[in-house]
């Protein structure tokens, strides 16, 4: 049997994805902590399989402003990964990394964009490493593409791209705590079904 | 009192004055507004993809595509008393949200959506009287059945009425 879409995943498969999400989020927190040179605590990440409309709602509604970084996955695991930062989190990162006080996203310059891309790169690599190490698969991610806009507009990109396959995606919600402040970020994993099968097979699970 | 009716992604709806239609955060999708000024009937369709040709004959998917959704909207409006020969169109959306995407199927999907919408409107002989498409930002669209005005809101780039 082959996966047609994410609704074909059973509890065992979901547990695997949750574990991947856990390890990835843990790696991401350490990376973040090193980048910001301060201790970062992380809540147990929430991992769900959701349809696009639910994802948009849980991101604060279609008009909520988000910083998004889009990666294309290639090699053994193909698909798309999107890393989302809530506005406050992005502000905090920029202020800490660049030591500047950003007023609004109207005046984000090259320097800020580049810093956000770098953060996204390191965070995305954390998840990719988790999958790649656990499932012993080769994975590669593209240079990130950045977009700061409404949640609904951003999500229309993967929705359109995968409209022929599925309207569901793997949604990982992370809560980070630093200096008593909490910030949330989300990772959307959209592997193609063949790649998902490879992951499950390599981990010794039946489809 | 006028009601505000939300149109979701790959969805459509039609209302009479004084109601208002809204679709939030159009990205690469396109919003198609049709208006019959003498009946004050407004219709809005939010399409995701240009063509249904490669898709299965699943009827529930028809509102997703430019080449099938617009005709459904026209029929819906005609049932309410509108006439296709009086209809005028305003369209918005079809942006390219991520500028550097090197994946060609993603890179110009917004543009392809806009072209497909224009072809379909041409086939139906509905003139396009206003257009706010392309570029690289999301748009929220309000379409009023009172006067057929299309109001576009963006996050950082202001607001326009067409």
């Amino acid at each position: 049997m082959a996966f047609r879409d994410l609704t074909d995943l059973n509890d065992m498969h979901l547990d695997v994805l949750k574990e991947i999400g856990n390890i990835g989020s843990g790696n991401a927190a350490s990376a973040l902590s090193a980048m910001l040179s301060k201790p970062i605590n992380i809540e147990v990440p929430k991992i769900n399989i959701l349809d696009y409309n639910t994802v948009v709602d849980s991101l604060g509604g279609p008009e909520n402003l988000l910083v998004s970084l889009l990666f294309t996955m290639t090699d053994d695991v193909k698909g798309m990964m999107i890393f989302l930062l809530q506005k406050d989190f992005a502000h905090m990162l920029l202020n800490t990394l660049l030591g500047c006080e950003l007023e609004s996203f109207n005046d984000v310059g090259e320097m800020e964009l580049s810093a956000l891309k770098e953060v996204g790169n390191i965070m995305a690599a954390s998840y990719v490493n988790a999958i790649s190490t656990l499932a012993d698969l080769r994975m590669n991610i593209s240079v990130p593409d950045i977009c700061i806009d409404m949640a609904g507009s951003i999500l229309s990109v993967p929705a359109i791209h995968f409209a022929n396959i599925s309207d569901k995606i793997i949604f990982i919600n992370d809560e980070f705590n630093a200096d008593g402040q909490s910030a949330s970020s989300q990772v959307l994993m959209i592997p193609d079904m063949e790649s998902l099968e490879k992951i499950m097979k390599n981990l010794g699970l039946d489809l | 009192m006028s009601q505000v009716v939300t149109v979701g992604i790959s969805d459509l709806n039609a209302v009479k004055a004084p109601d208002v239609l809204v679709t939030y955060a159009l990205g690469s999708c396109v919003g198609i507004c049709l208006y019959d000024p003498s009946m004050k009937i407004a219709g809005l369709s939010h399409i995701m993809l240009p063509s249904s040709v490669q898709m299965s004959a699943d009827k529930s998917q028809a509102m997703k595509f430019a080449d099938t959704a617009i005709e459904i909207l026209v029929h819906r409006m005609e049932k309410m008393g509108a006439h296709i020969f009086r209809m005028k169109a305003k369209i918005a959306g079809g942006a390219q949200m991520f500028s550097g995407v090197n994946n060609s199927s993603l890179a110009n999907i917004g543009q392809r959506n806009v072209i497909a919408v224009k072809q379909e409107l041409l086939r139906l002989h509905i003139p396009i009287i206003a257009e706010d498409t392309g570029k690289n930002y999301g748009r929220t669209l309000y379409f009023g059945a009172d006067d057929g005005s299309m109001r576009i809101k963006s996050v950082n780039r202001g607001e326009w009425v067409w």
Side-chain angles (χ1 to χ4, degrees):
Chain A
M1 201 190 99
F3 290 137
R4 274 167 301 131
D5 62 39
L6 290 173
T7 49
D8 286 341
L9 295 172
N10 63 28
D11 287 348
M12 194 83 118
H13 300 134
L14 291 180
D15 280 344
V16 164
L17 293 180
K18 285 185 181 167
E19 192 48 29
I20 288 173
N22 273 330
I23 297 172
S25 302
N27 292 350
S30 330
L32 197 60
S33 169
M35 256 187 297
L36 301 178
S37 29
K38 57 170 113 175
I40 305 258
N41 292 318
I42 182 170
E43 311 272 327
V44 177
K46 295 191 189 71
I47 297 148
N48 291 303
I49 309 276
L50 300 175
D51 60 41
Y52 283 100
N53 288 331
T54 318
V55 169
V56 170
D57 287 340
S58 47
L59 289 171
E63 291 191 294
N64 188 28
L65 184 77
L66 292 175
V67 175
S68 66
L69 295 138
L70 180 139
F71 302 85
T72 310
M73 300 189 281
T74 49
D75 263 348
D76 287 343
V77 178
K78 295 184 179 61
M80 194 188 279
M81 176 154 56
I82 297 180
F83 181 67
L84 299 169
L85 290 168
Q86 298 285 344
K87 212 166 35 174
D88 305 348
F89 194 2
H91 272 282
M92 188 270 273
L93 281 174
L94 287 177
N95 294 344
T96 315
L97 284 173
L98 303 177
C100 64
E101 201 59 50
L102 189 70
E103 291 293 325
S104 86
F105 280 104
N106 285 327
D107 45 68
V108 208
E110 279 303 312
M111 188 67 183
E112 285 82 6
L113 289 180
S114 166
L116 289 169
K117 279 186 191 175
E118 192 47 32
V119 172
N121 227 343
I122 293 168
M123 304 288 272
S126 306
Y127 291 90
V128 167
N129 281 340
I131 301 173
S132 158
T133 316
L134 273 184
D136 191 24
L137 290 167
R138 271 181 308 128
M139 284 179 76
N140 208 347
I141 51 169
S142 67
V143 175
D145 204 335
I146 192 163
C147 172
I148 303 173
D149 212 308
M150 295 187 262
S153 307
I154 293 165
L155 265 287
S156 78
V157 173
I160 288 173
H161 192 54
F162 291 94
N164 298 343
I165 307 165
S166 168
D167 59 355
K168 299 221 180 322
I169 39 182
I170 304 166
F171 182 78
I172 306 170
N173 191 45
D174 289 321
E175 291 283 337
F176 298 105
N177 288 298
D179 299 341
Q181 279 184 308
S182 73
S184 69
S185 79
Q186 291 79 26
V187 180
L188 312 177
M189 296 281 276
I190 315 153
D192 67 16
M193 287 304 130
E194 200 187 325
S195 305
L196 203 54
E197 283 173 28
K198 270 191 217 161
I199 295 174
M200 296 302 166
K201 274 187 188 147
N202 273 24
L203 290 167
L205 290 179
D206 294 328
L207 299 184
Chain B
M1 269 301 283
S2 71
Q3 269 194 320
V4 177
V5 178
T6 305
V7 175
I9 189 163
S10 45
D11 191 10
L12 54 84
N13 216 330
V15 298
K16 288 185 176 175
D19 292 354
V20 175
L21 291 157
V22 58
T23 195
Y24 294 105
L26 286 161
S28 302
C29 300
V30 178
I32 303 111
C33 303
L34 299 182
Y35 190 56
D36 178 336
S38 48
M39 298 301 291
K40 290 190 186 287
I41 292 172
L44 174 60
S45 157
H46 180 147
I47 60 105
M48 274 173 88
L49 287 163
S51 164
S52 61
V53 171
Q54 292 146 359
M55 292 298 288
S56 54
D58 184 355
K59 275 278 191 288
S60 68
Q61 301 281 303
M63 294 191 291
K64 217 182 235 181
F65 307 100
D67 64 342
T68 44
I70 299 175
E71 200 164 343
I72 298 175
L73 181 62
V74 169
H75 289 316
R76 176 86 63 96
M77 290 170 69
E78 282 181 331
K79 271 189 194 150
M80 295 167 71
H83 273 287
I84 189 166
F85 62 81
R86 282 198 298 258
M87 286 182 195
K88 304 269 189 288
K90 296 182 180 182
I91 63 175
Q96 181 171 351
M97 299 304 297
F98 292 91
S99 54
V101 173
N102 40 19
N103 180 332
S104 61
S105 74
L106 263 183
N108 54 9
I109 185 71
Q111 200 188 357
R112 283 193 288 138
N113 275 337
V114 172
I115 293 170
V117 164
K118 287 183 177 173
Q119 277 172 348
E120 181 64 8
L121 288 169
L122 187 68
R123 188 180 73 80
L124 296 167
H125 302 291
I126 302 175
I128 299 171
I129 56 170
E131 175 182 354
D132 181 9
T133 59
K135 305 208 179 99
N136 63 348
Y137 54 87
R139 298 165 170 94
T140 285
L141 188 167
Y142 293 88
F143 187 44
D146 238 356
D147 56 356
S149 64
M150 175 175 84
R151 187 156 61 89
I152 302 291
K153 247 173 68 183
S154 68
V155 172
N156 285 330
R157 294 170 185 83
E159 203 173 316
W160 304 269
V161 177
W162 297 83

